[in-house]
Amino acid sequence: MTLIILDAGHGPNTPGKRSPDGKLREFQFNSAVAALVGDRLSREGIKVRYVHEASRDVPLNERTALANRLRADAYVSIHANAHGTGWSEAHGIETYIYPQASKSSSVLASLVQKNIITACQRTDRGVKKANFAVLRDTQMPAILVECGFMSNRTEALLLQSKAYQLQCARAITFGILCWVYTK
């Protein structure tokens, strides 16, 4: 059975991870979307484990160690982006992989990015490479999805919207399922 690790990036008390007006904490968005993705994957017969907790900020090394110990098939970290400390013009969606990522990570990232852009109709910032711990320290295909900028007034409102959260979740789920069924 396929096992997907879902990571609602950061934690409920991570400092600075909020919109400039304080109305949106990143973990609110991340955890809502992760739960929706998890429910949908489970309904498709995919086993899901979460590496975040609502009660504490789980350290990154704990998250990746659990994923590695479980020998998961893939690791998907869900985020809302930010640029600077105030409102900015930065906008769009991007997905990250590790610079030396496997072909399987690249395929997963491309499928998720393509589907979330199609579903959400936001600017496509593409698949990018970064040395993020959750990408570097995992032993399975891993991606990190940035679903919009909470530092952009328009996207901050979208990120707070249940309808947009559902759009993101459906698209991420569909991208994962496409990857699972073609690997």
Side-chain angles (χ1 to χ4, degrees), residues 87-166:
W87 294 112
S88 80
E89 296 301 313
H91 63 281
I93 296 170
E94 55 198 12
T95 302
Y96 287 89
I97 58 174
Y98 186 62
Q100 290 81 38
S102 67
K103 174 76 172 154
S104 195
S105 288
S106 296
V107 170
L108 176 58
S110 294
L111 287 166
V112 168
Q113 180 71 15
K114 176 183 166 209
N115 281 290
I116 199 168
I117 293 301
T118 300
C120 297
Q121 297 294 297
R122 304 303 305 158
T123 298
D124 185 353
R125 295 173 62 94
V127 174
K128 299 180 176 183
K129 296 182 178 186
N131 188 21
F132 298 144
V134 297
L135 304 176
R136 178 187 62 240
D137 298 337
T138 45
Q139 298 167 353
M140 71 283 307
I143 65 170
L144 186 148
V145 185
E146 296 277 11
C147 299
F149 281 79
M150 59 187 173
S151 56
N152 177 288
R153 288 183 190 274
T154 300
E155 290 188 351
L157 290 173
L158 284 173
L159 292 163
Q160 293 172 67
S161 154
K162 298 289 183 205
Y164 185 77
Q165 292 169 11
L166 184 56

Side-chain angles (χ1 to χ4, degrees), residues 4-183:
I4 304 295
I5 297 294
L6 294 176
D7 173 15
H10 305 294
N13 302 310
T14 305
K17 299 296 181 183
R18 60 184 49 98
S19 60
D21 61 6
K23 292 182 180 175
L24 172 67
R25 287 182 178 255
E26 184 179 356
F27 186 74
Q28 291 171 304
F29 172 81
N30 300 349
S31 59
V33 174
L36 290 167
V37 171
D39 289 345
R40 282 167 171 64
L41 288 174
S42 295
R43 281 190 250 143
E44 292 293 327
I46 306 293
K47 188 173 178 186
V48 172
R49 279 292 296 267
Y50 301 94
V51 292
H52 59 275
E53 297 176 16
S55 60
R56 71 181 181 107
D57 290 356
V58 179
L60 297 177
N61 64 337
E62 275 186 46
R63 294 175 190 230
T64 57
L66 177 59
N68 293 335
R69 203 168 40 252
L70 293 172
R71 296 187 179 158
D73 293 283
Y75 189 105
V76 177
S77 189
I78 298 166
H79 291 255
N81 217 336
H83 182 265
T85 56
W87 294 112
S88 80
E89 296 301 313
H91 63 281
I93 296 170
E94 55 198 12
T95 302
Y96 287 89
I97 58 174
Y98 186 62
Q100 290 81 38
S102 67
K103 174 76 172 154
S104 195
S105 288
S106 296
V107 170
L108 176 58
S110 294
L111 287 166
V112 168
Q113 180 71 15
K114 176 183 166 209
N115 281 290
I116 199 168
I117 293 301
T118 300
C120 297
Q121 297 294 297
R122 304 303 305 158
T123 298
D124 185 353
R125 295 173 62 94
V127 174
K128 299 180 176 183
K129 296 182 178 186
N131 188 21
F132 298 144
V134 297
L135 304 176
R136 178 187 62 240
D137 298 337
T138 45
Q139 298 167 353
M140 71 283 307
I143 65 170
L144 186 148
V145 185
E146 296 277 11
C147 299
F149 281 79
M150 59 187 173
S151 56
N152 177 288
R153 288 183 190 274
T154 300
E155 290 188 351
L157 290 173
L158 284 173
L159 292 163
Q160 293 172 67
S161 154
K162 298 289 183 205
Y164 185 77
Q165 292 169 11
L166 184 56
Q167 278 182 311
C168 290
R170 286 178 173 157
I172 292 167
T173 302
F174 189 70
I176 293 168
L177 290 172
C178 289
W179 177 80
V180 165
Y181 295 130
T182 58
K183 70 178 181 103

